[in-house]
Every structure is written in C-alpha cells, then in structure tokens.
Amino acid sequence: MKILVTGGAGFIGSHLVECLLAEGHTVLTLDDFSNGRPEFLAHLLNHPRHRLIVGSVLDRKLVKKCLSQVDTVYHLAAVLGVKNTVEDPIKVIEGNIDGTRNILELAYPSRTKVIFASTSEIYGKNEKLPFNEMSDRVYGAPSIHRWSYATAKSIDEHMCFAYAAKGLPVTVLRYFNAYGPRQTNSQYGGVVARFITAALKGEPLEVYGSGTQRRCFTFVDDTVRGTIAALRPEADGLSFNVGSTHSVTITELAQLIIRLSRSASPIILKSYAEAYGPGYEDMPAREPDLTRAETILGYRPSVSLEQGLIKTIEWYRERISLETV
Ligand code: UDP
C-alpha cells in the first residue's frame, strides 16, 4: 500500500515508518521536526520506497498534495506532553484540532483511509477500571489546563466519528503510555525517558505527587504492532485501546529503572505544584480493556515491562555516552 505518516519523524512515528517499510509498503513521511528529529529517519532517507517531506499538517496545500499520492494516512502529528499542555494550552488546542481537521476534510473526497493516533488521556480521571472504548470521559474544569489535551483529542475523535458516519474509513487508536527508544527525554517528555536519563546520569528521579498513581507502560514495538493491525478493513469506524495491561505505580517504575540500570540515583518526591504549577490535576490510574483490540485486530502486547526497559535503557546509555565524548 501507499501510506502517508504524519509525524513520521517522531517517537512512535519513526518506529511505525520503519515497520511499514519492512512490511513492503511505500511510505511518505510528513514531519515539521517540531518534535520529531531528522536523525530518527536518517537510515531510511535513501530507502527506495520512502520519501520524507518536511512540512506541517497545518499547511493545507501540502497535506492535499501528500494525500493525493496515498491510499491510507496515519495521522500521528500532534502537540503533546503534559508540560506543553499546562504551559501552552493554545498551541496544544490549535495544533491538535486544526491538523486533524485538515487531514479528515482533505481525505474525505477520495475516501482515503485515516488512522488517527488518539490517547488514553481521553478517559481522563474516570476511576472505573479497566477502560473500554465506550467508557465515559471524566475531566476537570476547563480552567485546569491539563484537560486541554484530552479535550482537543476528544474533538478530534468526534470529527473522526462524524466523518466515519459520512462514509470515510476511519480508525481511532488510543495509546496507553508508550515508551522506548527515541522518546523525548527533556522536561517535555514522558516519565520513562525522564527517569532513565536521570538514572544514567546519577541524578535524582523526581516522582510527582504521592507516586502511587498507576500507569500501564507499553513498549513502542507493541504500540506499533497494534497500529499496523489497524490497516485491516474490519477496524474501520471503530476506536481501539492499544497498550499493555500490566499496571505499575510511578514509584515502582522508578525503583525498577534504578535496578535495571544499576544506578545509584535517589528517588525524591516532588509536589505537582512544583512540577507543573498550581492547579494541576493528575489521574490516579489508567488501564486498558483490550477485548476489542484482541478480537478485531488480533492485538496482544508481548513485551514485558522489564524487557522493554532493558532495551530502552541500552538505547539511552549509548546516546548519553556519545553526548559526553
Ligand atoms: N511523572 C513523574 N515524574 C516525572 C514525569 C512524570 O512522577 O518526571 C508522573 C506524572 O505526574 C504522571 C506519570 O508520571 O503521574 C506519567 O506521566 P507522563 O507525563 O509520562 O504521562 P501521563 O500518563 O501523565 O500522560
């Protein structure tokens, strides 16, 4: 197939592009490098079935041109990261809503299949676990910036289902805390990348809040496996949880990373206010029900947290040692 991947130079996107090429597809990557990095695709730049276009999903003319060359689009380009969300909600709202609107509007006339990368954040602070695809969304007040990302992704999903009702083949994937090589490890990145970097540098691992909040961390290979399975037509018109069901607390995660990386770093607790500013809200736990993904996509995650962390630690170890040379 001919496939467009927006955000294809990013963390999940670059793994997806690699995998699609390995499966024999022709891939057009669109990325503006706002979050993605050229080096994540450097080894694929001369691949005969791959082309990279540097540009934004906000550029309608460019999106139209890219879409005219493919039969399917994976829309992964997004503005994400909890810190981004609390610091610049306008960028998060506009970036996520306008880009997705362009993709859907411009894919519609040719009925180009759209596979949209959504998020487990969509369930918000719903406490009824595990979340299935029809679970309620529970958010705090709109004055709490943290909910702007989930709200923007919710509008995106509403648009997806509205276009699906008009006959566009659309699939929505809700990723649960993906981690692995290439994840952003700055203060704008996810907790796994941040903890591993701190552990390898001998710096403290900062656990926010009580550390009892739970997440199901999913190795990126498993995330990509579910993403590729969404190509099948049976997935059209549906949303799917894509993640692991193995739940850990953030303190347990920190302890595991310290053990696996043989680090002497301490674990310190930091309040949410210190980490993200006043008025922050976190969700106590997130866990997917994978029944639908298993039944329709044949999806089952296969990489244990320990195996995935070992691979991820190795990747950061190499990069950190290169940085210090
Ligand atoms: N977190 C933490 N230390 C950090 C970064 C994050 O304790 O350096 C916590 C964060 O408050 C949340 C969990 O780890 O409870 C997962 O955070 P992340 O930003 O990776 O993703 P989220 O699940 O919040 O979308």
Side-chain angles (χ1 to χ4, degrees):
M1 292 176 76
K2 289 184 185 151
I3 299 176
L4 170 65
V5 181
T6 75
F11 159 47
I12 299 175
S14 61
H15 288 281
L16 175 64
V17 169
E18 262 170 15
C19 207
L20 289 170
L21 288 169
E23 296 211 344
H25 300 290
T26 296
V27 180
L28 184 60
T29 296
L30 176 65
D31 202 296
D32 63 0
F33 296 135
S34 54
N35 216 9
R37 302 261 197 88
E39 67 258 33
F40 294 166
L41 293 177
H43 58 300
L44 300 175
L45 288 183
N46 293 322
H47 192 291
R49 280 181 283 105
H50 179 231
R51 202 148 62 87
L52 167 68
I53 312 253
V54 181
S56 167
V57 286
L58 301 177
D59 179 345
R60 283 178 68 91
K61 227 169 117 187
L62 182 61
V63 169
K64 196 170 176 185
K65 200 167 140 203
C66 292
L67 282 170
S68 70
Q69 300 169 46
V70 300
D71 356 89
T72 296
V73 50
Y74 276 105
H75 178 41
L76 272 66
V79 185
L80 72 165
V82 175
K83 201 161 171 64
N84 261 323
T85 305
V86 296
E87 276 181 10
D88 197 347
I90 294 175
K91 188 169 96 183
V92 167
I93 293 163
E94 290 179 353
N96 289 310
I97 293 182
D98 296 349
T100 304
R101 182 168 52 204
N102 284 345
I103 296 290
L104 290 166
E105 263 177 27
L106 297 168
Y108 183 66
S110 53
R111 305 294 191 271
T112 302
K113 172 162 171 146
V114 177
I115 300 172
F116 172 64
S118 187
T119 170
S120 53
E121 175 95 5
I122 209 108
Y123 297 108
K125 50 184 180 177
N126 186 339
E127 292 191 20
K128 273 192 222 147
L129 296 172
F131 302 141
N132 70 56
E133 288 80 355
M134 296 307 288
S135 292
D136 289 338
R137 290 166 291 153
V138 182
Y139 302 157
S143 54
I144 308 284
H145 292 333
R146 196 249 155 88
W147 303 114
S148 62
Y149 176 64
T151 303
K153 286 285 190 180
S154 288
I155 291 289
D156 288 345
E157 286 206 22
H158 272 298
M159 283 195 285
C160 286
F161 289 111
Y163 274 96
K166 294 205 312 171
L168 184 70
V170 183
T171 298
V172 170
L173 302 176
R174 296 181 182 155
Y175 295 144
F176 282 71
N177 292 77
Y179 72 94
R182 303 181 194 153
Q183 188 178 22
T184 310
N185 62 344
S186 73
Q187 52 175 333
Y188 296 92
V191 67
V192 172
R194 287 172 53 71
F195 279 1
I196 291 179
T197 306
L200 293 177
K201 290 186 169 175
E203 293 166 2
L205 278 66
E206 295 182 343
V207 169
Y208 301 158
S210 65
T212 56
Q213 65 273 36
R214 306 186 78 91
R215 296 290 188 273
C216 292
F217 294 97
T218 311
F219 190 59
V220 65
D221 288 6
D222 280 329
T223 308
V224 166
R225 244 188 294 280
T227 305
I228 295 213
L231 282 172
R232 58 184 70 177
E234 297 88 326
D236 292 356
L238 292 171
S239 54
F240 294 93
N241 288 336
V242 174
S244 140
T245 50
H246 176 70
S247 157
V248 289
T249 68
I250 299 304
T251 299
E252 286 163 354
L253 174 76
Q255 289 163 342
L256 185 58
I257 287 175
I258 286 177
R259 175 165 70 76
L260 295 175
S261 59
R262 296 180 299 280
S263 167
S265 289
I267 295 174
I268 57 168
L269 289 182
K270 201 169 172 176
S271 71
Y272 287 124
E274 274 178 281
Y276 297 121
Y280 182 78
E281 285 183 359
D282 199 4
M283 53 271 290
R286 255 189 216 153
E287 190 189 319
D289 177 333
L290 294 179
T291 310
R292 184 187 281 181
E294 252 188 80
T295 314
I296 298 176
L297 303 181
Y299 171 75
R300 194 176 295 174
S302 64
V303 183
S304 72
L305 181 59
E306 211 166 299
Q307 287 168 336
L309 286 177
I310 289 170
K311 288 186 187 174
T312 311
I313 289 166
E314 274 327 298
W315 187 82
Y316 283 102
R317 203 189 285 282
E318 253 172 55
R319 279 179 73 90
I320 287 169
S321 68
L322 286 176
E323 272 170 26
T324 51
V325 165

